[in-house]
Amino acid sequence: MKKFYDMTIQETRNLLRKREITVTELTSFYIERIQRYDKDVKAYLRVTDEKALEMAHYAERKIEQGEDGPFLGIPFGIKDIFCTEGIETTCASQILKGFIPPYDATVIKKLKDGRFIHLGRLNMDEFAMGSSTENSSFQTTKNPWDLSRIPGGSSGGSAAAVAAGLCAAALGTDTGGSIRQPASLCGVVGMKPTYGRVSRYGLVAFASSLDQIGPLTRNVTDCAIVMNAIAGFDPMDSTSIPQPVPDYTKCLGKDIKGLKIGIPKEYFITGMDPDVMRAIEESLTVFEKQGAIIVDVSLPHTEYAVATYYVICTAEASSNLARYDGVKYGLRTEGKDIIDMYKKTRLKGFGKEVKRRIILGTYVLSSGYYDAYYRKAGKVRTLIRRDFDKAFKSCDILVTPVSPTTAFKIGEKMEDPLTMYLSDIFTIPVNLAGLPGMSVPCGFDASGLPIGLQIIGKPLDEALMMQAAYVFESEKNIKKIPDTFR
Ligand code: GLN
């Protein structure tokens, strides 16, 4: 029999439906794998195994009562950034240590309504700031394909857990690439939906105009199932879009004859890893063989995206993180008066990268610099969005690399934040424009490290992206789990 980590969620559900396995057996399978492998990978900050088994028993009772659902009884790992009632939520920061939310984020509530199993909390860069998960204040997660390398970030724990078969699926967040880049570096599927498609209520905020929640899964079908569960309007999030959500599984299996795929020339830069370049070029021939038409497009303001992003995201972060003052959440360090207590708490509670961003964000928002930096960045953001609007007049989706390189060594970029920031050069413009984007595994480099292909869609057109991704995945049939984890 196939192992559970080689099955889609649908296949596993069918076994549960036919009573060939129980939810407890499935949950125990993943808990045992975590016990066996996670001491090497370090994807989980906390395993909520007791809770998981409780949820499994409950799901079993529901199955006995005749309940059904697309992910009923399926074990998920959750990035430690989603408020979950009764479960410590830290954002991998010392400042939130001990914070137990009294409510569920909307996405968690939706997964609970579908009776998912909560296996545990996945590691991340502190407050989702980073591209390697090395900014976690607790531990460094390893890339399952090579344990001396980073899994990408900030959702590195989510990507590594999915890649090592330590959960069936995971949730992540993407502000500038944090789902797509780790998905690419770990060889799994990751989607950032259109801004506003998934409710951010109960998500610990980093940069609110950029943050989006999305799935990390081992295949496109699972991505569609998780998207069906989490997408949709939520009155609790004022940026949530009041539009109906299609059934994303319906687009899987449709052909892509005549689909126009735009290739932005600015995304094929010198300095890019030649193996990545080759893998993307080979992928284009796969699409062409399936009847797609390749068209050249231009996104002329791409070169300003990283700079624009680091003005906007730090400005928003400096404001969002003002709430951690030792009074409302988690850590408190006593001082001689209240100001001293604030200072000591924030000094101790935040890591280096978080402090760097608060300082930068406060600076770009300060009077005298606001117009020169923050307002200017807003204008450039509009130009970047218009580039995409124009490109989409001549194509249906865009195809680009996700990351200019494959997974780098642990420690390699920690001393140089600017090179680290360039890891997201191809993903950031998508967040600035609010578009949907996804990473699909497309090959390996000479050292056997995964490479991801980015598909970018028109606003709210996640379905077409998944349709193309599914065709590609079926043609390419890329290995999902490293042999050492089988
Ligand atoms: N790596 C980018 C950053 O450090 C993106 C992070 C994210 O998407 N959360 O901000």
Side-chain angles (χ1 to χ4, degrees), residues 159-203:
V162 173
L166 306 181
C167 58
L171 283 189
T173 60
D174 190 311
T175 305
S178 278
I179 290 175
R180 290 159 290 158
Q181 186 256 14
S184 168
L185 270 39
C186 290
V188 301
V189 174
M191 158 155 330
K192 178 204 99 74
T194 310
Y195 183 76
R197 188 50 126 173
V198 177
S199 166
R200 290 181 294 109
Y201 178 69
L203 164 70

Side-chain angles (χ1 to χ4, degrees), residues 42 73 159 163 204 256 274 338 367 376 433 445 454 457-458 475 479:
K42 294 193 159 61
V204 179
I256 53 164
I338 190 162
S367 69
K376 182 68 93 18
D445 72 3
Q454 178 167 233
K458 295 179 184 173
E475 281 302 304
K479 188 167 108 187

Side-chain angles (χ1 to χ4, degrees), residues 5 18 97 102 121 142 168 177 237-238 249 258 268 273 285 355 368 383 385 394 471:
Y5 50 67
K18 289 190 289 195
K97 226 169 140 183
R121 313 298 288 181
K142 316 282 162 53
D237 172 359
S238 61
T249 58
F268 294 83
D273 185 332
T285 63
K355 285 180 184 139
L383 296 176
R385 207 191 52 236
S394 59
V471 168

Side-chain angles (χ1 to χ4, degrees), residues 79 81 125 127-132 135 153-155 173-181 206 210-211 309-310 313 353 357 420-421 423-424 427-428 431:
K79 185 177 182 180
I81 194 169
D125 286 298
F127 285 105
M129 298 175 187
S131 308
S132 68
N135 290 334
S154 64
S155 311
T173 60
D174 190 311
T175 305
S178 278
I179 290 175
R180 290 159 290 158
Q181 186 256 14
F206 161 17
L210 299 157
D211 298 342
Y309 171 83
Y310 277 96
C313 86
E353 181 63 23
R357 295 200 189 194
M420 185 74 95
Y421 292 176
S423 309
D424 300 301
T427 48
I428 278 173
N431 300 72

